[in-house]
PDB file of all heavy atoms in Angstrom:
ATOM      1  N   SER D   1     -44.612  59.537  88.730  1.00 97.00           N
ATOM      2  CA  SER D   1     -46.051  59.251  88.880  1.00 97.00           C
ATOM      3  C   SER D   1     -46.332  57.786  89.069  1.00 97.00           C
ATOM      4  O   SER D   1     -47.160  57.437  89.911  1.00 97.00           O
ATOM      5  CB  SER D   1     -46.612  59.665  87.491  1.00 97.00           C
ATOM      6  OG  SER D   1     -47.981  59.747  87.533  1.00 97.00           O
ATOM      7  N   GLN D   2     -45.524  56.897  88.443  1.00 97.00           N
ATOM      8  CA  GLN D   2     -45.582  55.537  88.696  1.00 97.00           C
ATOM      9  C   GLN D   2     -45.123  55.148  90.117  1.00 97.00           C
ATOM     10  O   GLN D   2     -45.835  54.306  90.662  1.00 97.00           O
ATOM     11  CB  GLN D   2     -44.686  54.782  87.683  1.00 97.00           C
ATOM     12  CG  GLN D   2     -44.868  53.314  87.654  1.00 97.00           C
ATOM     13  CD  GLN D   2     -44.009  52.633  86.577  1.00 97.00           C
ATOM     14  OE1 GLN D   2     -43.700  53.355  85.499  1.00 97.00           O
ATOM     15  NE2 GLN D   2     -43.530  51.484  86.785  1.00 97.00           N
ATOM     16  N   GLY D   3     -44.257  55.812  90.723  1.00 97.00           N
ATOM     17  CA  GLY D   3     -43.717  55.529  92.076  1.00 97.00           C
ATOM     18  C   GLY D   3     -44.805  55.971  93.073  1.00 97.00           C
ATOM     19  O   GLY D   3     -45.034  55.138  94.018  1.00 97.00           O
ATOM     20  N   ILE D   4     -45.427  57.092  92.888  1.00 98.00           N
ATOM     21  CA  ILE D   4     -46.480  57.499  93.837  1.00 98.00           C
ATOM     22  C   ILE D   4     -47.649  56.537  93.746  1.00 98.00           C
ATOM     23  O   ILE D   4     -48.179  56.132  94.743  1.00 98.00           O
ATOM     24  CB  ILE D   4     -46.794  58.917  93.546  1.00 98.00           C
ATOM     25  CG1 ILE D   4     -45.592  59.838  93.832  1.00 98.00           C
ATOM     26  CG2 ILE D   4     -48.121  59.395  94.330  1.00 98.00           C
ATOM     27  CD1 ILE D   4     -45.786  61.358  93.279  1.00 98.00           C
ATOM     28  N   LEU D   5     -48.095  56.205  92.460  1.00 98.00           N
ATOM     29  CA  LEU D   5     -49.170  55.347  92.376  1.00 98.00           C
ATOM     30  C   LEU D   5     -48.916  53.916  92.984  1.00 98.00           C
ATOM     31  O   LEU D   5     -49.739  53.356  93.748  1.00 98.00           O
ATOM     32  CB  LEU D   5     -49.516  55.093  90.897  1.00 98.00           C
ATOM     33  CG  LEU D   5     -50.656  54.164  90.515  1.00 98.00           C
ATOM     34  CD1 LEU D   5     -51.967  54.473  91.263  1.00 98.00           C
ATOM     35  CD2 LEU D   5     -50.903  53.978  89.108  1.00 98.00           C
ATOM     36  N   ALA D   6     -47.739  53.382  92.732  1.00 97.00           N
ATOM     37  CA  ALA D   6     -47.193  52.121  93.336  1.00 97.00           C
ATOM     38  C   ALA D   6     -47.344  52.215  94.823  1.00 97.00           C
ATOM     39  O   ALA D   6     -47.741  51.330  95.517  1.00 97.00           O
ATOM     40  CB  ALA D   6     -45.932  51.718  92.926  1.00 97.00           C
ATOM     41  N   GLY D   7     -46.912  53.371  95.496  1.00 98.00           N
ATOM     42  CA  GLY D   7     -46.856  53.609  96.825  1.00 98.00           C
ATOM     43  C   GLY D   7     -48.405  53.453  97.352  1.00 98.00           C
ATOM     44  O   GLY D   7     -48.604  52.879  98.433  1.00 98.00           O
ATOM     45  N   VAL D   8     -49.329  54.257  96.656  1.00 98.00           N
ATOM     46  CA  VAL D   8     -50.664  54.239  97.042  1.00 98.00           C
ATOM     47  C   VAL D   8     -51.258  52.787  97.008  1.00 98.00           C
ATOM     48  O   VAL D   8     -51.979  52.396  97.978  1.00 98.00           O
ATOM     49  CB  VAL D   8     -51.367  55.255  96.236  1.00 98.00           C
ATOM     50  CG1 VAL D   8     -52.983  55.166  96.455  1.00 98.00           C
ATOM     51  CG2 VAL D   8     -51.038  56.651  96.641  1.00 98.00           C
ATOM     52  N   GLN D   9     -50.959  52.126  95.970  1.00 97.00           N
ATOM     53  CA  GLN D   9     -51.501  50.723  95.786  1.00 97.00           C
ATOM     54  C   GLN D   9     -50.948  49.814  96.995  1.00 97.00           C
ATOM     55  O   GLN D   9     -51.721  49.077  97.603  1.00 97.00           O
ATOM     56  CB  GLN D   9     -51.052  50.149  94.549  1.00 97.00           C
ATOM     57  CG  GLN D   9     -51.774  50.848  93.220  1.00 97.00           C
ATOM     58  CD  GLN D   9     -51.159  50.459  91.909  1.00 97.00           C
ATOM     59  OE1 GLN D   9     -50.043  50.307  91.884  1.00 97.00           O
ATOM     60  NE2 GLN D   9     -52.099  50.458  90.948  1.00 97.00           N
ATOM     61  N   ALA D  10     -49.663  49.961  97.270  1.00 97.00           N
ATOM     62  CA  ALA D  10     -49.122  49.179  98.416  1.00 97.00           C
ATOM     63  C   ALA D  10     -49.789  49.646  99.824  1.00 97.00           C
ATOM     64  O   ALA D  10     -50.037  48.822 100.644  1.00 97.00           O
ATOM     65  CB  ALA D  10     -47.663  49.354  98.488  1.00 97.00           C
ATOM     66  N   LEU D  11     -49.978  50.911 100.022  1.00 97.00           N
ATOM     67  CA  LEU D  11     -50.580  51.394 101.250  1.00 97.00           C
ATOM     68  C   LEU D  11     -52.073  50.953 101.420  1.00 97.00           C
ATOM     69  O   LEU D  11     -52.462  50.534 102.466  1.00 97.00           O
ATOM     70  CB  LEU D  11     -50.532  53.017 101.296  1.00 97.00           C
ATOM     71  CG  LEU D  11     -49.221  53.545 101.526  1.00 97.00           C
ATOM     72  CD1 LEU D  11     -49.230  54.993 101.271  1.00 97.00           C
ATOM     73  CD2 LEU D  11     -48.709  53.359 102.943  1.00 97.00           C
ATOM     74  N   ASP D  12     -52.767  50.840 100.248  1.00 97.00           N
ATOM     75  CA  ASP D  12     -54.041  50.219 100.213  1.00 97.00           C
ATOM     76  C   ASP D  12     -54.046  48.856 100.643  1.00 97.00           C
ATOM     77  O   ASP D  12     -54.765  48.411 101.444  1.00 97.00           O
ATOM     78  CB  ASP D  12     -54.751  50.434  98.841  1.00 97.00           C
ATOM     79  CG  ASP D  12     -56.092  49.757  98.735  1.00 97.00           C
ATOM     80  OD1 ASP D  12     -56.951  50.337  99.376  1.00 97.00           O
ATOM     81  OD2 ASP D  12     -56.196  48.783  97.876  1.00 97.00           O
ATOM     82  N   ARG D  13     -53.052  48.098 100.158  1.00 96.00           N
ATOM     83  CA  ARG D  13     -52.907  46.654 100.530  1.00 96.00           C
ATOM     84  C   ARG D  13     -52.557  46.574 102.063  1.00 96.00           C
ATOM     85  O   ARG D  13     -53.187  45.600 102.788  1.00 96.00           O
ATOM     86  CB  ARG D  13     -51.870  45.900  99.654  1.00 96.00           C
ATOM     87  CG  ARG D  13     -52.303  45.799  98.218  1.00 96.00           C
ATOM     88  CD  ARG D  13     -51.393  45.059  97.397  1.00 96.00           C
ATOM     89  NE  ARG D  13     -51.276  43.668  97.801  1.00 96.00           N
ATOM     90  CZ  ARG D  13     -52.229  42.692  97.400  1.00 96.00           C
ATOM     91  NH1 ARG D  13     -53.212  42.961  96.727  1.00 96.00           N
ATOM     92  NH2 ARG D  13     -52.028  41.471  97.832  1.00 96.00           N
ATOM     93  N   MET D  14     -51.707  47.493 102.541  1.00 95.00           N
ATOM     94  CA  MET D  14     -51.393  47.367 103.918  1.00 95.00           C
ATOM     95  C   MET D  14     -52.649  47.670 104.784  1.00 95.00           C
ATOM     96  O   MET D  14     -52.923  46.954 105.792  1.00 95.00           O
ATOM     97  CB  MET D  14     -50.331  48.500 104.257  1.00 95.00           C
ATOM     98  CG  MET D  14     -49.883  48.602 105.688  1.00 95.00           C
ATOM     99  SD  MET D  14     -48.867  50.025 106.019  1.00 95.00           S
ATOM    100  CE  MET D  14     -50.098  51.324 106.255  1.00 95.00           C
ATOM    101  N   ALA D  15     -53.457  48.688 104.386  1.00 95.00           N
ATOM    102  CA  ALA D  15     -54.621  49.018 105.130  1.00 95.00           C
ATOM    103  C   ALA D  15     -55.699  47.937 105.122  1.00 95.00           C
ATOM    104  O   ALA D  15     -56.432  47.756 106.026  1.00 95.00           O
ATOM    105  CB  ALA D  15     -55.232  50.309 104.504  1.00 95.00           C
ATOM    106  N   ARG D  16     -55.641  47.082 104.126  1.00 94.00           N
ATOM    107  CA  ARG D  16     -56.514  45.928 103.919  1.00 94.00           C
ATOM    108  C   ARG D  16     -56.045  44.664 104.562  1.00 94.00           C
ATOM    109  O   ARG D  16     -56.623  43.566 104.357  1.00 94.00           O
ATOM    110  CB  ARG D  16     -57.006  45.819 102.598  1.00 94.00           C
ATOM    111  CG  ARG D  16     -57.796  46.809 102.054  1.00 94.00           C
ATOM    112  CD  ARG D  16     -58.013  46.760 100.521  1.00 94.00           C
ATOM    113  NE  ARG D  16     -58.777  47.897  99.975  1.00 94.00           N
ATOM    114  CZ  ARG D  16     -60.025  48.119 100.075  1.00 94.00           C
ATOM    115  NH1 ARG D  16     -60.802  47.261 100.671  1.00 94.00           N
ATOM    116  NH2 ARG D  16     -60.506  49.185  99.530  1.00 94.00           N
ATOM    117  N   LYS D  17     -54.749  44.757 105.176  1.00 92.00           N
ATOM    118  CA  LYS D  17     -54.005  43.581 105.731  1.00 92.00           C
ATOM    119  C   LYS D  17     -53.869  42.500 104.683  1.00 92.00           C
ATOM    120  O   LYS D  17     -53.754  41.356 104.916  1.00 92.00           O
ATOM    121  CB  LYS D  17     -54.940  42.938 106.921  1.00 92.00           C
ATOM    122  CG  LYS D  17     -55.391  43.907 108.008  1.00 92.00           C
ATOM    123  CD  LYS D  17     -54.322  44.218 108.939  1.00 92.00           C
ATOM    124  CE  LYS D  17     -54.868  45.052 110.127  1.00 92.00           C
ATOM    125  NZ  LYS D  17     -54.246  46.414 110.132  1.00 92.00           N
ATOM    126  N   LEU D  18     -53.466  42.938 103.542  1.00 92.00           N
ATOM    127  CA  LEU D  18     -53.092  42.022 102.392  1.00 92.00           C
ATOM    128  C   LEU D  18     -51.535  42.060 102.233  1.00 92.00           C
ATOM    129  O   LEU D  18     -51.001  43.107 102.712  1.00 92.00           O
ATOM    130  CB  LEU D  18     -53.749  42.419 101.107  1.00 92.00           C
ATOM    131  CG  LEU D  18     -55.288  42.517 101.069  1.00 92.00           C
ATOM    132  CD1 LEU D  18     -55.714  43.153  99.808  1.00 92.00           C
ATOM    133  CD2 LEU D  18     -55.851  41.130 101.222  1.00 92.00           C
ATOM    134  N   SER D  19     -51.041  41.091 101.634  1.00 88.00           N
ATOM    135  CA  SER D  19     -49.517  41.084 101.497  1.00 88.00           C
ATOM    136  C   SER D  19     -49.161  42.200 100.553  1.00 88.00           C
ATOM    137  O   SER D  19     -49.927  42.559  99.546  1.00 88.00           O
ATOM    138  CB  SER D  19     -48.989  39.754 100.939  1.00 88.00           C
ATOM    139  OG  SER D  19     -49.589  39.483  99.712  1.00 88.00           O
ATOM    140  N   LEU D  20     -47.944  42.742 100.701  1.00 85.00           N
ATOM    141  CA  LEU D  20     -47.436  43.890  99.798  1.00 85.00           C
ATOM    142  C   LEU D  20     -47.010  43.361  98.515  1.00 85.00           C
ATOM    143  O   LEU D  20     -46.677  42.144  98.421  1.00 85.00           O
ATOM    144  CB  LEU D  20     -46.360  44.553 100.547  1.00 85.00           C
ATOM    145  CG  LEU D  20     -46.654  45.377 101.765  1.00 85.00           C
ATOM    146  CD1 LEU D  20     -45.398  45.940 102.275  1.00 85.00           C
ATOM    147  CD2 LEU D  20     -47.702  46.314 101.634  1.00 85.00           C
ATOM    148  N   PRO D  21     -47.029  44.144  97.412  1.00 79.00           N
ATOM    149  CA  PRO D  21     -46.541  43.783  96.145  1.00 79.00           C
ATOM    150  C   PRO D  21     -45.085  43.410  96.279  1.00 79.00           C
ATOM    151  O   PRO D  21     -44.310  43.913  97.117  1.00 79.00           O
ATOM    152  CB  PRO D  21     -46.746  44.998  95.277  1.00 79.00           C
ATOM    153  CG  PRO D  21     -47.473  46.049  96.093  1.00 79.00           C
ATOM    154  CD  PRO D  21     -47.511  45.523  97.513  1.00 79.00           C
ATOM    155  N   ILE D  22     -44.660  42.485  95.397  1.00 77.00           N
ATOM    156  CA  ILE D  22     -43.231  42.163  95.398  1.00 77.00           C
ATOM    157  C   ILE D  22     -42.486  43.324  94.781  1.00 77.00           C
ATOM    158  O   ILE D  22     -42.892  43.923  93.802  1.00 77.00           O
ATOM    159  CB  ILE D  22     -43.071  40.763  94.568  1.00 77.00           C
ATOM    160  CG1 ILE D  22     -43.856  39.677  95.357  1.00 77.00           C
ATOM    161  CG2 ILE D  22     -41.613  40.452  94.393  1.00 77.00           C
ATOM    162  CD1 ILE D  22     -43.985  38.409  94.493  1.00 77.00           C
ATOM    163  N   LYS D  23     -41.303  43.482  95.328  1.00 71.00           N
ATOM    164  CA  LYS D  23     -40.357  44.546  94.743  1.00 71.00           C
ATOM    165  C   LYS D  23     -40.122  44.200  93.224  1.00 71.00           C
ATOM    166  O   LYS D  23     -39.794  43.161  92.858  1.00 71.00           O
ATOM    167  CB  LYS D  23     -38.994  44.510  95.524  1.00 71.00           C
ATOM    168  CG  LYS D  23     -38.062  45.494  95.042  1.00 71.00           C
ATOM    169  CD  LYS D  23     -36.704  45.384  95.827  1.00 71.00           C
ATOM    170  CE  LYS D  23     -35.667  46.356  95.295  1.00 71.00           C
ATOM    171  NZ  LYS D  23     -34.539  46.209  95.946  1.00 71.00           N
ATOM    172  N   PRO D  24     -40.246  45.239  92.358  1.00 66.00           N
ATOM    173  CA  PRO D  24     -40.047  45.035  90.998  1.00 66.00           C
ATOM    174  C   PRO D  24     -38.516  44.725  90.713  1.00 66.00           C
ATOM    175  O   PRO D  24     -37.597  45.015  91.451  1.00 66.00           O
ATOM    176  CB  PRO D  24     -40.305  46.513  90.476  1.00 66.00           C
ATOM    177  CG  PRO D  24     -41.030  47.217  91.468  1.00 66.00           C
ATOM    178  CD  PRO D  24     -40.587  46.635  92.805  1.00 66.00           C
ATOM    179  N   ILE D  25     -38.283  43.872  89.775  1.00 61.00           N
ATOM    180  CA  ILE D  25     -36.965  43.421  89.404  1.00 61.00           C
ATOM    181  C   ILE D  25     -36.511  44.230  88.212  1.00 61.00           C
ATOM    182  O   ILE D  25     -37.173  44.185  87.156  1.00 61.00           O
ATOM    183  CB  ILE D  25     -36.915  41.870  89.173  1.00 61.00           C
ATOM    184  CG1 ILE D  25     -37.355  41.142  90.350  1.00 61.00           C
ATOM    185  CG2 ILE D  25     -35.579  41.443  88.627  1.00 61.00           C
ATOM    186  CD1 ILE D  25     -37.622  39.687  90.188  1.00 61.00           C
ATOM    187  N   PRO D  26     -35.327  44.949  88.294  1.00 61.00           N
ATOM    188  CA  PRO D  26     -34.915  45.755  87.196  1.00 61.00           C
ATOM    189  C   PRO D  26     -34.603  44.821  85.981  1.00 61.00           C
ATOM    190  O   PRO D  26     -34.155  43.680  86.191  1.00 61.00           O
ATOM    191  CB  PRO D  26     -33.587  46.391  87.676  1.00 61.00           C
ATOM    192  CG  PRO D  26     -33.568  46.158  89.202  1.00 61.00           C
ATOM    193  CD  PRO D  26     -34.455  44.979  89.451  1.00 61.00           C
ATOM    194  N   ALA D  27     -34.779  45.372  84.763  1.00 57.00           N
ATOM    195  CA  ALA D  27     -34.538  44.651  83.520  1.00 57.00           C
ATOM    196  C   ALA D  27     -33.146  44.065  83.400  1.00 57.00           C
ATOM    197  O   ALA D  27     -32.957  43.101  82.923  1.00 57.00           O
ATOM    198  CB  ALA D  27     -34.930  45.484  82.299  1.00 57.00           C
ATOM    199  N   SER D  28     -32.194  44.899  84.030  1.00 56.00           N
ATOM    200  CA  SER D  28     -30.766  44.489  83.989  1.00 56.00           C
ATOM    201  C   SER D  28     -30.601  43.115  84.617  1.00 56.00           C
ATOM    202  O   SER D  28     -29.675  42.365  84.214  1.00 56.00           O
ATOM    203  CB  SER D  28     -29.895  45.507  84.715  1.00 56.00           C
ATOM    204  OG  SER D  28     -30.319  45.639  85.997  1.00 56.00           O
ATOM    205  N   HIS D  29     -31.348  42.719  85.612  1.00 52.00           N
ATOM    206  CA  HIS D  29     -31.194  41.435  86.351  1.00 52.00           C
ATOM    207  C   HIS D  29     -31.734  40.388  85.337  1.00 52.00           C
ATOM    208  O   HIS D  29     -31.043  39.272  85.341  1.00 52.00           O
ATOM    209  CB  HIS D  29     -32.116  41.416  87.552  1.00 52.00           C
ATOM    210  CG  HIS D  29     -31.492  42.131  88.651  1.00 52.00           C
ATOM    211  ND1 HIS D  29     -31.537  43.586  88.821  1.00 52.00           N
ATOM    212  CD2 HIS D  29     -30.806  41.572  89.862  1.00 52.00           C
ATOM    213  CE1 HIS D  29     -30.872  43.846  90.005  1.00 52.00           C
ATOM    214  NE2 HIS D  29     -30.449  42.705  90.566  1.00 52.00           N
ATOM    215  N   TYR D  30     -32.662  40.732  84.467  1.00 50.00           N
ATOM    216  CA  TYR D  30     -33.144  39.638  83.561  1.00 50.00           C
ATOM    217  C   TYR D  30     -32.054  39.416  82.501  1.00 50.00           C
ATOM    218  O   TYR D  30     -31.738  38.288  82.044  1.00 50.00           O
ATOM    219  CB  TYR D  30     -34.415  40.068  82.885  1.00 50.00           C
ATOM    220  CG  TYR D  30     -35.646  39.969  83.742  1.00 50.00           C
ATOM    221  CD1 TYR D  30     -36.318  41.183  84.158  1.00 50.00           C
ATOM    222  CD2 TYR D  30     -36.000  38.767  84.255  1.00 50.00           C
ATOM    223  CE1 TYR D  30     -37.458  41.064  84.985  1.00 50.00           C
ATOM    224  CE2 TYR D  30     -37.154  38.664  85.142  1.00 50.00           C
ATOM    225  CZ  TYR D  30     -37.853  39.855  85.409  1.00 50.00           C
ATOM    226  OH  TYR D  30     -38.828  39.760  86.345  1.00 50.00           O
ATOM    227  N   LEU D  31     -31.387  40.555  82.058  1.00 51.00           N
ATOM    228  CA  LEU D  31     -30.434  40.513  80.944  1.00 51.00           C
ATOM    229  C   LEU D  31     -29.128  39.707  81.618  1.00 51.00           C
ATOM    230  O   LEU D  31     -28.522  38.928  80.879  1.00 51.00           O
ATOM    231  CB  LEU D  31     -29.953  41.827  80.515  1.00 51.00           C
ATOM    232  CG  LEU D  31     -31.088  42.691  79.820  1.00 51.00           C
ATOM    233  CD1 LEU D  31     -30.608  44.137  79.569  1.00 51.00           C
ATOM    234  CD2 LEU D  31     -31.436  42.014  78.556  1.00 51.00           C
ATOM    235  N   LEU D  32     -28.824  39.907  82.806  1.00 50.00           N
ATOM    236  CA  LEU D  32     -27.759  39.299  83.423  1.00 50.00           C
ATOM    237  C   LEU D  32     -28.133  37.734  83.439  1.00 50.00           C
ATOM    238  O   LEU D  32     -27.222  36.900  83.124  1.00 50.00           O
ATOM    239  CB  LEU D  32     -27.587  39.686  84.809  1.00 50.00           C
ATOM    240  CG  LEU D  32     -26.160  39.800  85.420  1.00 50.00           C
ATOM    241  CD1 LEU D  32     -25.301  40.657  84.633  1.00 50.00           C
ATOM    242  CD2 LEU D  32     -26.209  40.193  86.893  1.00 50.00           C
ATOM    243  N   PHE D  33     -29.262  37.415  83.856  1.00 49.00           N
ATOM    244  CA  PHE D  33     -29.670  36.004  83.869  1.00 49.00           C
ATOM    245  C   PHE D  33     -29.674  35.396  82.514  1.00 49.00           C
ATOM    246  O   PHE D  33     -29.135  34.248  82.380  1.00 49.00           O
ATOM    247  CB  PHE D  33     -31.166  35.899  84.536  1.00 49.00           C
ATOM    248  CG  PHE D  33     -31.635  34.610  84.699  1.00 49.00           C
ATOM    249  CD1 PHE D  33     -31.025  33.670  85.677  1.00 49.00           C
ATOM    250  CD2 PHE D  33     -32.644  33.987  83.950  1.00 49.00           C
ATOM    251  CE1 PHE D  33     -31.522  32.420  85.864  1.00 49.00           C
ATOM    252  CE2 PHE D  33     -33.151  32.790  84.098  1.00 49.00           C
ATOM    253  CZ  PHE D  33     -32.495  31.928  85.083  1.00 49.00           C
ATOM    254  N   ILE D  34     -30.166  36.098  81.587  1.00 50.00           N
ATOM    255  CA  ILE D  34     -30.173  35.586  80.182  1.00 50.00           C
ATOM    256  C   ILE D  34     -28.705  35.343  79.644  1.00 50.00           C
ATOM    257  O   ILE D  34     -28.378  34.369  79.036  1.00 50.00           O
ATOM    258  CB  ILE D  34     -30.984  36.424  79.178  1.00 50.00           C
ATOM    259  CG1 ILE D  34     -32.452  36.400  79.681  1.00 50.00           C
ATOM    260  CG2 ILE D  34     -30.738  36.047  77.775  1.00 50.00           C
ATOM    261  CD1 ILE D  34     -33.346  37.481  78.894  1.00 50.00           C
ATOM    262  N   GLY D  35     -27.849  36.360  79.952  1.00 47.00           N
ATOM    263  CA  GLY D  35     -26.416  36.211  79.559  1.00 47.00           C
ATOM    264  C   GLY D  35     -25.835  35.051  80.259  1.00 47.00           C
ATOM    265  O   GLY D  35     -25.031  34.224  79.623  1.00 47.00           O
ATOM    266  N   PHE D  36     -26.113  34.736  81.528  1.00 48.00           N
ATOM    267  CA  PHE D  36     -25.580  33.632  82.214  1.00 48.00           C
ATOM    268  C   PHE D  36     -26.002  32.407  81.598  1.00 48.00           C
ATOM    269  O   PHE D  36     -25.182  31.459  81.464  1.00 48.00           O
ATOM    270  CB  PHE D  36     -26.020  33.718  83.702  1.00 48.00           C
ATOM    271  CG  PHE D  36     -25.496  32.565  84.598  1.00 48.00           C
ATOM    272  CD1 PHE D  36     -24.072  32.637  84.964  1.00 48.00           C
ATOM    273  CD2 PHE D  36     -26.153  31.629  84.964  1.00 48.00           C
ATOM    274  CE1 PHE D  36     -23.572  31.614  85.802  1.00 48.00           C
ATOM    275  CE2 PHE D  36     -25.728  30.555  85.763  1.00 48.00           C
ATOM    276  CZ  PHE D  36     -24.364  30.552  86.052  1.00 48.00           C
TER     277      PHE D  36
END
């Protein structure tokens, strides 16, 4: 459900000639960064 909604939100931005949302960063990347 979240993926389809995110897709529609991005398609809406594309149709309005706005920049696309930034790719979500997985939580594991934050944990890796905090660990580092």
